[in-house]
Amino acid sequence: MLVVGDVVTDVVARHTTPLTPGTDTVARIRILPGGAGANAACWAARSRGRGDGGPEVRLLGRVGRAEADWHAGRLRAAGVRPLLIADGSAPTATVVALVDAGTGGERTFLTDSGAVLRIGPADWSPELLDGVGHLHLSGYLLFADAAARLVRLARESARDRGVTVSVDPASAGFIARRGTEPVLAALRGVDLVLPNADEARLLTGVADPVSAAEVLGRRFGLAVVTLGAEGAVVAGPGGITARVPAPRAEAVDTTGAGDAFTGAFLAAWMTGADPAEAAVEGCRAGAEAVTLTGGRPLLPDGPYEPGAPPGVVG
């Protein structure tokens, strides 16, 4: 499987009391590797690392030159083969995640896209699909013109080779700013969409996410809409095919729960699970993800080591 998407340095600040403007709020702050595309790749690769027969996972993304080795090393440690383009003109994207422990780990993001959205057609080659059975595209790439052109090229290359394509629409805020119709046009021809409830509502104009899933299933052939603690709903051309509950979990940080679902779903789907079975695996991974700080699974030998990429104060 090839994932094309964002690699991000996450600054996660978990505060236990409400933010107080104009003064200090005590928080536990960690610097971690992140990014929706990279996170999903790591969760997909985990099944292979556990011996579950998951796919080999590769990740194409653009990062700042100074941080390239740091991010590549953390991807390799998670079982992902990094195909990172080092950008000499922009730093790696950085996201500050403000996580409110008093609201079940809900988070607010401050995003500096950095090198992520500088990826473009020149970074694509059809040979990147050699040996690849599935292409997954992070929706964050839809929100910059050059990156969106790369998405189109990658999707066309996949079609030419008979490779299936999925997209995680990524961000309700970015969809609202970009506009629904341009986003839907960019998604034309994909085999699977994996939005959350807010993204599904925006893409369809339908308030109920289950009904929105039905609309998306008819449009794309397969849609899986995540519903947070309520699990996920699977839809195809004929309507809803499955409702999958989420395991109970005590949320610490909801960052990356959707990425976990996506990665685990794709790993199961690629190895023969039907969409409902794959959604069960996705929900399990999402429930696990909310118990962790940051957006990635634990490494085989434990948590990510402390530290920060060059140029970032840890």
Side-chain angles (χ1 to χ4, degrees):
M1 178 169 70
L2 174 64
V3 178
V4 183
D6 46 326
V7 181
V8 173
T9 302
D10 281 346
V11 181
V12 181
R14 186 169 183 267
H15 54 97
T16 57
T17 58
L19 294 174
T20 307
T23 187
D24 296 306
T25 301
V26 174
R28 183 171 183 263
I29 300 173
R30 295 185 67 193
I31 298 175
L32 297 166
N39 293 345
C42 291
W43 284 96
R46 187 181 69 153
S47 63
R48 184 181 180 91
R50 293 184 309 189
D52 293 349
E56 180 196 40
V57 183
R58 310 170 192 173
L59 174 71
L60 175 67
R62 197 170 187 94
V63 296
R65 182 175 295 161
E67 304 89 16
D69 288 344
W70 188 84
H71 278 287
R74 278 145 183 80
L75 288 166
R76 289 192 194 96
V80 176
R81 178 180 168 191
L83 306 172
L84 300 184
I85 302 148
D87 193 312
S89 300
T92 301
T94 302
V95 169
V96 177
L98 305 176
V99 181
D100 187 345
T103 59
E106 282 301 320
R107 70 277 190 270
T108 300
F109 294 141
L110 304 174
T111 302
D112 179 346
S113 296
V116 163
L117 297 184
R118 288 169 55 84
I119 199 167
D123 299 317
W124 178 256
S125 168
E127 285 70 36
L128 288 164
L129 292 173
D130 287 351
V132 169
H134 182 77
L135 172 67
H136 178 69
L137 301 166
S138 171
Y140 282 105
L141 302 182
L142 302 175
F143 306 117
D145 290 341
R149 290 196 297 273
L150 178 146
V151 166
R152 185 170 61 250
L153 280 175
R155 187 185 64 212
E156 291 170 354
S157 296
R159 282 289 177 210
D160 291 343
R161 291 176 174 234
V163 172
T164 53
V165 182
S166 59
V167 177
D168 168 9
S171 168
F174 284 166
I175 292 171
R177 284 192 287 276
R178 184 74 166 181
T180 298
E181 288 308 315
V183 173
L184 286 171
L187 294 176
R188 189 176 297 121
V190 307
D191 301 283
L192 164 64
V193 291
L194 295 137
N196 66 23
D198 288 339
E199 294 154 6
R201 292 185 184 102
L202 275 174
L203 290 172
T204 62
V206 177
D208 173 47
V210 176
S211 299
E214 289 189 87
V215 173
L216 293 171
R218 289 194 295 269
R219 182 169 191 140
F220 294 101
L222 180 58
V224 184
V225 176
T226 54
L227 306 174
E230 296 181 19
V233 58
V234 181
I240 302 300
T241 59
R243 291 286 303 263
V244 178
R248 293 178 61 86
E250 186 171 344
V252 171
D253 176 5
T254 58
T255 303
D259 307 333
F261 180 96
T262 293
F265 178 97
L266 291 174
W269 189 52
M270 286 189 64
T271 51
D274 66 34
E277 293 167 336
V280 170
E281 294 304 314
C283 286
R284 286 175 180 163
E288 179 183 347
V290 302
T291 69
L292 306 172
T293 299
R296 297 193 185 174
L298 294 177
L299 296 176
D301 55 355
Y304 283 88
E305 62 193 63
V312 178
V313 177

